[in-house]
């Protein structure tokens, strides 16, 4: 939401959002920024790469009846999601720009005095909860209440969708933030103040729920040993990840249900290719009974009586591997972007600390 009595960002059915231009100088500055980055004649590789981290820009739009009412027409980053979980995190050590008045500086600093030390601020979040089929939202006061000690738990709330911590989403988020950090490390032409990262992931597990029959199917379809080089993913059918190891001719697979444990398992599977057994981890379908069952079985067992035992079980596994979990991290809100000739150290500091916090969430 922005401005008193404003409706906030408008969602258009054509897959875009409309952001009303803010009063000068902020609105025109944001428009100028998008025009510069998306200039069709642009051949600056820094700006061309930056496009990857922004919503697509479709120019400005005005209602036919009010031509002076200007909106930026932007890609709706939440569009492809069924139940989007959304978090807006302001990045940087300073929320005020170099031209801010003493009064403005004071106002911004008092909003969150820890900005300098933490380097980011959660402006809001909306998390879909599978169990209640509802969204839990946090407003700006939530983020402002977070301290150095509580910010990790504060951020991790965003990744608690439904039954468990979505470590696959945390891992994918880290990778995306790291790409943005790399871009910042390589450019000295723009400095960003009071700009945000918008995190979006799929909260529903509709598309990722499979029955045991899919396990059987995947097992039947398995590619013969030795066809692929060691460590290659042989097959990924309906959430079953089969990893080959040619070193000892054994197959290793991880089947995880938990929207939580998938990443850890996958990582483990990738790093321990010498394993001679096939690890099959399952959990039963009781809501709070996550990861009760953890079975390590040999390949032969798969043809025996283990599978029928699991027939009652639902698997909830991320549809993709952790590298490609359905996560978007985009830079938004450019009302305070300025030309510069130095690296944006404040933004870089914030990104690094955010990555550290996300990594801590993943590790614990
Ligand atoms: N491209 C987008 N796609 C989807 N949601 C967006 C997009 N841009 C902004 N939003 C949503 O609108 C909110 C406000 O947008 P923002 O650009 O930060 O405006 P403001 O200048 O009012 O802070 C964001 O927190 C986010 O939830
Ligand atoms: Mg904003």
């Amino acid at each position: 939401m922005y401005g008193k009595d404003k409706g906030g960002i408008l969602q258009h059915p054509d897959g875009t959002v409309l952001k009303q231009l803010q009063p000068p100088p902020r609105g025109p500055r944001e428009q100028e920024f998008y025009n510069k980055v998306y200039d069709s004649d642009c051949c600056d590789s820094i700006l061309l790469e930056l496009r990857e981290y922004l919503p697509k820009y479709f120019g400005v739009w005005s209602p036919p009846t009010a031509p002076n009412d200007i909106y930026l027409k932007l890609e709706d980053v939440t569009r492809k999601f069924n139940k989007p979980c959304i978090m807006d995190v302001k990045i940087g050590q300073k929320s005020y720009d170099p031209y801010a008045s003493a009064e403005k500086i004071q106002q911004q600093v008092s909003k969150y005095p820890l900005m300098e030390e933490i380097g980011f601020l959660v402006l809001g979040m909306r998390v879909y909860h599978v169990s209640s089929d509802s969204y839990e939202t946090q407003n700006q006061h939530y983020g402002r209440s977070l301290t150095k000690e509580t910010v990790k738990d504060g951020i991790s709330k965003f990744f608690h969708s439904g039954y468990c911590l979505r470590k696959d989403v945390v891992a994918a988020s880290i990778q995306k933030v790291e790409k943005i950090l790399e871009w910042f490390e390589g450019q000295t032409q723009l400095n960003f103040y009071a700009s945000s990262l918008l995190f979006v992931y799929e909260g529903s597990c509709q598309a990722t729920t499979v029955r045991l029959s899919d396990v059987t199917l995947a097992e039947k379809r398995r590619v013969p040993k030795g066809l692929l080089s060691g460590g290659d993913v042989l097959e990924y059918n309906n959430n079953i990840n089969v990893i080959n190891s040619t070193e000892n001719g054994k197959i290793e697979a991880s089947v995880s249900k938990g929207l939580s444990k998938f990443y850890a398992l996958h990582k483990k599977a990738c790093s321990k290719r010498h394993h001679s057994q096939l690890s099959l981890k399952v959990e039963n379908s009781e809501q709070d009974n996550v990861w009760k069952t953890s079975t390590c079985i040999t390949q032969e067992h798969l043809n025996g009586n283990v599978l029928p035992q699991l027939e009652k079980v639902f698997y909830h596994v991320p549809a993709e591997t952790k590298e490609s979990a359905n996560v978007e991290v985009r830079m938004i809100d450019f009302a305070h972007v300025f030309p510069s000739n130095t690296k944006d150290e404040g933004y870089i500091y914030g990104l690094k600390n955010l990555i550290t916090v996300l990594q801590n969430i993943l590790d614990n």
Side-chain angles (χ1 to χ4, degrees):
M1 306 288 282
Y2 56 94
K4 286 190 178 63
D5 309 321
K6 291 276 164 59
I9 293 273
L10 303 173
Q11 206 169 22
H12 195 287
D14 71 1
T16 63
V17 290
L18 296 169
K19 177 178 177 178
Q20 192 170 35
L21 219 60
Q22 292 164 305
R26 288 176 294 146
R29 209 157 43 208
E30 182 162 36
Q31 183 185 353
E32 202 184 307
F33 170 79
Y34 273 113
N35 283 340
K36 182 181 159 100
V37 175
Y38 283 95
D39 185 344
S40 53
D41 294 330
C42 173
C43 45
D44 178 340
S45 60
I46 297 283
L47 298 183
L48 291 176
E49 191 195 335
L50 179 60
R51 290 180 188 177
E52 291 173 35
Y53 313 121
L54 266 48
K56 287 192 185 75
Y57 173 59
F58 302 101
V60 292
W61 180 88
S62 296
T65 49
N68 295 329
D69 213 355
I70 300 171
Y71 293 80
L72 300 172
K73 194 167 169 62
L74 302 164
E75 171 192 3
D76 180 354
V77 177
T78 69
R79 159 108 165 161
K80 67 177 180 185
F81 298 93
N82 179 25
K83 301 284 183 188
C85 299
I86 310 169
M87 174 168 71
D88 181 326
V89 185
K90 193 197 270 190
I91 308 289
Q93 289 179 286
K94 290 179 171 54
S95 295
Y96 52 88
D97 66 55
Y99 305 96
S101 65
E103 195 188 349
K104 178 76 181 173
I105 294 174
Q106 215 276 320
Q107 179 222 31
Q108 284 299 313
V109 171
S110 67
K111 268 192 181 170
Y112 195 53
L114 294 172
M115 199 71 188
E116 191 85 28
E117 194 184 350
I118 293 179
F120 62 84
L121 165 64
V122 175
L123 292 180
M125 67 171 77
R126 185 178 92 150
V127 185
Y128 177 73
H129 285 271
V130 183
S131 49
S132 56
D133 185 26
S134 62
Y135 288 98
E136 185 180 332
T137 61
Q138 305 295 342
N139 64 21
Q140 52 177 319
H141 300 291
Y142 176 78
R144 286 197 218 159
S145 72
L146 300 176
T147 64
K148 249 194 131 190
E149 287 68 40
T150 62
V151 75
K152 183 189 138 210
D153 285 347
I155 290 259
S156 73
K157 198 176 187 72
F158 176 62
F159 301 101
H160 276 281
S161 156
Y163 309 117
C164 55
L165 177 66
R166 291 288 304 271
K167 285 198 171 187
D168 60 316
V169 175
V170 182
S173 301
I174 292 173
Q175 291 191 345
K176 303 240 160 158
V177 178
E178 276 172 347
K179 291 292 287 177
I180 294 172
L181 174 60
E182 274 172 36
W183 181 82
F184 271 89
E185 295 280 19
Q187 70 90 23
T188 55
Q189 56 173 298
L190 293 168
N191 282 4
F192 296 71
Y193 303 90
S195 183
S196 288
L197 287 185
L198 194 65
F199 292 78
V200 190
Y201 72 90
E202 182 56 64
S204 124
C205 55
Q206 222 175 321
T208 63
T209 303
V210 292
R211 283 186 183 274
L212 188 71
S213 53
D214 294 320
V215 179
T216 317
L217 200 61
E219 181 61 18
K220 279 181 188 157
R221 283 182 192 157
R222 202 175 56 223
V223 178
K225 282 184 261 185
L227 281 186
L228 300 175
S229 60
D232 282 346
V233 174
L234 281 177
E235 190 162 7
Y236 199 83
N237 286 315
N238 292 322
N239 311 318
I240 310 305
N241 200 7
V242 184
I243 296 156
N244 182 40
S245 169
T246 50
E247 282 160 39
N248 53 15
K250 296 284 167 60
I251 301 287
E252 186 172 305
S254 336
V255 182
S256 69
K257 162 180 179 166
L259 296 165
S260 64
K261 288 283 179 189
F262 182 80
Y263 169 62
L265 268 177
H266 181 75
K267 203 167 138 189
K268 204 170 142 197
C270 289
S271 63
K272 294 192 177 174
R273 285 172 197 143
H274 59 277
H275 270 188
S276 60
Q277 288 184 313
L278 187 149
S279 302
L280 183 61
K281 295 212 172 202
V282 295
E283 63 175 341
N284 67 35
S285 59
E286 286 169 42
Q287 292 192 1
D288 298 313
N289 212 356
V290 183
W291 294 101
K292 275 262 171 81
T293 318
S294 176
T295 322
C296 198
I297 55 173
T298 61
Q299 247 179 275
E300 291 85 312
H301 280 117
L302 275 178
N303 305 321
N305 58 8
V306 175
L307 288 180
Q309 227 179 294
L310 303 176
E311 286 288 4
K312 322 157 200 125
V313 179
F314 280 91
Y315 294 86
H316 302 278
V317 195
E320 294 95 356
T321 61
K322 58 109 184 167
E323 289 84 0
S324 56
N326 209 1
V327 179
E328 289 290 347
V329 180
R330 303 287 185 99
M331 296 168 62
I332 57 159
D333 205 352
F334 306 110
H336 302 270
V337 178
F338 293 86
S340 147
N341 50 20
T342 59
K343 273 196 201 176
D344 192 339
E345 297 296 354
Y347 200 104
I348 289 174
Y349 177 96
L351 288 183
K352 285 185 174 169
N353 196 29
L354 183 55
I355 290 170
T356 303
V357 168
L358 293 173
Q359 196 62 55
N360 286 340
I361 293 172
L362 205 54
D363 293 344
N364 297 335

